[in-house]
Amino acid sequence: WDKAGLWYLAEVPKDTMVWPLVEADGETARARPQTWASPGKPSRQGPVTARVRLDQWAEAVPTTLRCRYRLLEGAKGPLLADFVAFSAVAAREGLPGPEVQVLLRYKVTGPDDQPKVKFYLSNAPADTPLEELVRVCGMRWPIESSFEESKSELGMDEYELRFWTGWHHHMTLVILAHHFLVGLQGRLNQREGGLKHGAPGSSGAASAD
């Protein structure tokens, strides 16, 4: 991803190890990890500073540093989560690797079977706003929903083609159709049971029947 000039944000396991560049209080800087070679044993290398597990680090972050965001409107109300982001050095085969951004997502509302904390790594620059990391983090659900809707309603997976050109044409038409239907659904405001005020076809008053 780095060589391709692309930024990513990926969910990682809770036992992922990193070297944070700031203490859990969000203010005190930590020394960047260095490596050493044991005399007479050049094959044995390791970091001078200790790595930490993300789940253990998440427990040490004060609640006062967490920022709350509304990710989406669910069937049972808004989905809320608290977020914290900090810079760290990723571990690569036990040694310090590239600098990354760590995003911690603390569950506030949501299904009981979801973990209390989710963990993400990103190669985005250190000055990337927290709002942008949160926005990208929340894109997973709408992307999955769009694929599911396109398959079940618009035949995204129903094609018999031999060449890439035809496949691209099929996918382009499906994406355009889905875009149109999502816009139409927004104007009809089906969740509220009727047309939005001022939407095409609305009269501004509910029908008596």
Side-chain angles (χ1 to χ4, degrees):
W1 293 95
D2 294 327
K3 293 181 179 179
L6 300 175
W7 297 348
Y8 68 83
L9 187 141
E11 186 173 352
V12 295
K14 63 181 181 180
D15 59 352
T16 299
M17 307 292 287
V18 299
W19 286 271
L21 296 179
V22 64
E23 295 291 350
D25 60 11
E27 298 180 358
T28 307
R30 284 170 55 102
R32 185 177 295 271
Q34 303 295 327
T35 59
W36 57 270
S38 178
K41 298 180 180 180
S43 61
R44 295 185 61 185
Q45 295 182 341
V48 172
T49 55
R51 296 176 296 172
V52 298
R53 281 175 51 126
L54 287 182
D55 56 347
Q56 297 174 349
W57 191 260
E59 294 179 358
V61 174
T63 57
T64 54
L65 295 182
R66 306 173 189 178
C67 297
R68 183 160 299 180
Y69 290 87
R70 180 176 60 86
L71 298 180
L72 56 88
E73 287 292 337
K76 298 182 179 179
L79 179 62
L80 304 176
D82 290 341
F83 290 88
V84 172
F86 61 91
S87 298
V89 173
R92 295 292 185 268
E93 298 182 357
L95 296 176
E99 183 173 330
V100 295
Q101 298 303 308
V102 179
L103 182 67
L104 305 177
R105 171 179 168 176
Y106 299 85
K107 183 178 71 172
V108 177
T109 62
D112 295 335
D113 58 347
Q114 285 189 353
K116 293 182 178 180
V117 186
K118 290 186 177 182
F119 311 90
Y120 303 85
L121 295 185
S122 174
N123 65 339
D127 58 355
T128 302
L130 176 61
E131 291 79 4
E132 180 63 12
L133 296 176
V134 172
R135 185 190 69 83
V136 176
C137 172
M139 286 300 295
R140 178 175 178 177
W141 182 85
I143 290 174
E144 291 178 350
S145 297
S146 66
F147 274 104
E148 182 62 30
E149 292 170 355
S150 296
K151 289 180 179 180
S152 61
E153 303 293 338
L154 301 171
M156 172 179 275
D157 56 348
E158 298 176 5
Y159 56 85
E160 296 181 6
L161 305 168
R162 298 178 60 187
F163 302 100
W164 280 108
T165 301
W167 183 86
H168 280 293
H169 286 171
H170 176 79
M171 292 299 169
T172 300
L173 291 175
V174 169
I175 293 172
L176 288 174
H178 185 264
H179 178 74
F180 169 78
L181 292 177
V182 169
L184 183 62
Q185 183 184 43
R187 291 197 298 272
L188 293 176
N189 197 18
Q190 293 183 0
R191 176 170 294 178
E192 299 299 330
L195 292 169
K196 286 184 178 178
H197 180 71
S202 64
S203 60
S207 172
D209 50 29

